[in-house]
Amino acid sequence: MKEYGIRAGGLPYPSTRQGKVTSKSPSNIALIKYWGKYPEQIPVNPSISYTLNQCHSETQLYYKFQEDRKKKFSVQFLFAGKSRPEFLTKILVFFEKISPYCPYLYDFDYTIKTNNTFPHSSGIASSASAMSALALCLVQLEQKLGYILTTEDYLQKASFLSRLGSGSACRSIYPGLVIWGSHKAIKGSDDYYAIPYPYEIHEAFTNFQDTIMLIDEGAKKVSSSQGHELMHRHHYTQKRAESAYENLERLIPILKTGDLESFGELVEHEALSLHAMMMCSRPYFILMKPNTLHVIEKVWDFRTQTANPLYFTLDAGANVHLLYPNEYKNMIHPFIREELLRHCQLGHYIEDSCAYA
Ligand code: DP6
């Protein structure tokens, strides 16, 4: 692995012995889904996502040098002001995984405070924003400790570390359309970190809205990690990976020419493929709820009747992400309020957009 300016020698550190770093990182919504992984969080297939503007995690990392080098990590963790042992466990696993690339980790006591701008219980995946925000704090700490990083290396290392916390988190480091996973048609693409989409993007795709219909609030019954795990002994893993790989290649001219219709077809196909994999794994799961299907059917009918470019995608859960260009908002919002909102469990939805300033 690239050394990202890691200083040889480690201790003693320069003047910075205690302090605080902060960062803010968004969630993202995949258009071509990462589904299935090899050891070390290497994805079975390349993926692409839109980084979101509104849903993000804000993290503060307090660090204090401690003279006696320990073999265990010393971390306190507060989420929205409360200690959450289940999240702390994840952070300790994350620290363990990244320790070969962050040799200073054992030398400090840490207090980590995190808040999300979106409800944690909403069923929106928070691991992408949370892990990327923490990784950004860590690379800032590295800079303070005198590890010299160029801006490019800084972001690449943040992405590399985020990946080890949660695969999809590595894409949250960059705004806009972001690729993770090596693909022969995408220059610079890599299994170890994400890169900003490197080719031409038609303006039709630089102003997308993502309205997230909260069909089912509360913790997911099947985690993404369990879903990835199921792909290890799945009959269709290879075919699914090939399909995602082909979809990514097909997306390049679509993004260039602004072909909204083909974009929608491809994105919906991806979402349904992911759910199809879950439905025919062993054990099998249905992650959609009846209301997920009601929303999808209404989106299809609306599109047929009005020709408005309204498409959906799904995470590994029941919530529906509605994707559409911002200029159609006036037509689409009344439809969402009048027809779709009634299918949200508690009548909640989240308005977000994809990050192109
Ligand atoms: C369906 O990144 O949450 O959202 O690497 O185990 O943390 P881990 O999984 P995670 O999986 C995300 C799956 C997905 C698709 C995607 O975001 O690409």
Side-chain angles (χ1 to χ4, degrees):
M1 179 201 96
K2 195 170 165 184
E3 297 247 308
Y4 300 108
I6 285 181
R7 278 185 324 160
L11 293 172
Y13 291 111
S15 52
T16 309
R17 298 215 148 204
Q18 72 178 65
K20 174 180 131 180
V21 285
T22 61
S23 81
K24 187 170 145 178
S25 189
S27 186
N28 67 72
I29 179 65
L31 306 172
I32 293 179
K33 312 284 178 183
Y34 144 55
W35 203 237
K37 59 180 160 183
Y38 301 118
E40 305 283 317
Q41 296 272 96
I42 301 302
V44 165
N45 62 275
S47 57
I48 181 168
S49 56
Y50 266 131
T51 294
L52 298 177
N53 278 336
Q54 305 299 331
C55 294
H56 56 246
S57 299
E58 290 166 350
T59 298
Q60 300 159 331
L61 176 80
Y62 298 82
Y63 56 93
K64 189 166 180 208
F65 183 71
Q66 45 131 18
E67 302 293 337
D68 304 324
R69 207 163 206 267
K70 290 177 296 187
K71 293 205 175 65
K72 273 182 147 184
F73 300 114
S74 163
V75 184
Q76 288 194 26
F77 177 73
L78 294 175
F79 177 78
K82 296 202 178 93
S83 68
R84 297 288 292 260
E86 72 278 25
F87 293 160
L88 176 61
T89 307
K90 284 189 181 167
I91 289 171
L92 293 174
V93 170
F94 174 54
F95 272 31
E96 191 67 53
K97 281 190 193 160
I98 64 172
S99 58
Y101 314 105
C102 305
Y104 53 85
L105 272 181
Y106 289 100
D107 299 329
F108 293 88
D109 291 328
Y110 303 95
T111 300
I112 300 168
K113 298 183 182 175
T114 295
N115 288 291
N116 286 348
T117 57
F118 53 101
H120 166 68
S121 62
S122 62
I124 306 284
S126 56
S127 61
S129 56
M131 286 300 177
S132 53
L134 182 53
L136 280 164
C137 283
L138 290 170
V139 287
Q140 276 183 59
L141 173 58
E142 281 187 17
Q143 278 197 321
K144 288 194 180 249
L145 298 177
Y147 292 71
I148 299 147
L149 296 172
T150 63
T151 306
E152 197 191 335
D153 280 355
Y154 175 92
L155 293 173
Q156 198 176 93
K157 182 155 187 189
S159 181
F160 177 95
L161 296 179
S162 302
R163 181 192 102 251
L164 293 168
S166 177
S168 57
C170 73
R171 297 184 310 237
S172 280
I173 298 297
Y174 300 97
L177 284 164
V178 184
I179 302 262
W180 168 41
S182 134
H183 193 296
K184 68 173 183 1
I186 312 262
K187 197 165 170 266
S189 59
D190 204 292
D191 284 343
Y192 289 87
Y193 49 81
I195 58 162
Y197 179 73
Y199 303 127
E200 198 182 331
I201 301 167
H202 190 277
E203 61 176 5
F205 295 115
T206 58
N207 213 353
F208 251 64
Q209 291 297 117
D210 178 6
T211 304
I212 311 165
M213 307 307 291
L214 302 178
I215 304 292
D216 187 32
E217 302 198 32
K220 288 182 187 170
K221 283 171 199 68
V222 189
S223 69
S224 298
S225 296
Q226 284 168 280
H228 292 298
E229 175 63 30
L230 289 168
M231 293 303 280
H232 284 306
R233 39 181 196 283
H234 201 297
H235 275 118
Y236 302 135
T237 303
Q238 192 55 37
K239 284 287 165 213
R240 156 67 200 151
E242 283 168 20
S243 166
Y245 199 89
E246 279 164 23
N247 275 342
L248 190 47
E249 198 152 352
R250 286 180 49 210
L251 194 59
I252 299 170
I254 292 173
L255 291 175
K256 185 174 173 182
T257 57
D259 181 351
L260 285 167
E261 209 173 306
S262 303
F263 173 85
E265 190 277 336
L266 190 148
V267 165
E268 292 186 354
H269 173 264
E270 268 292 317
L272 295 177
S273 303
L274 161 69
H275 281 252
M277 289 301 105
M278 287 303 277
M279 284 189 214
C280 60
S281 62
R282 287 226 157 90
Y284 42 82
F285 296 96
I286 299 180
L287 303 180
M288 293 187 217
K289 297 282 179 198
N291 277 326
T292 312
L293 287 175
H294 286 311
V295 168
I296 291 175
E297 281 182 355
K298 284 190 177 176
V299 165
W300 285 343
D301 287 346
F302 176 78
R303 214 159 64 210
T304 310
Q305 284 157 17
T306 67
N308 281 318
L310 173 64
Y311 309 105
F312 74 86
T313 188
L314 307 164
D315 263 337
N319 295 335
V320 182
H321 290 248
L322 300 171
L323 300 174
Y324 50 96
N326 185 45
E327 57 266 34
Y328 290 87
K329 216 164 155 177
N330 290 345
M331 255 89 74
I332 290 172
H333 273 189
F335 165 70
I336 292 176
R337 280 195 303 272
E338 285 153 32
E339 294 295 331
L340 303 186
L341 206 51
R342 74 183 74 156
H343 299 295
C344 294
Q345 189 183 28
L346 302 174
H348 296 156
Y349 67 104
I350 294 175
E351 199 58 70
D352 212 327
S353 55
C354 305
Y356 281 92

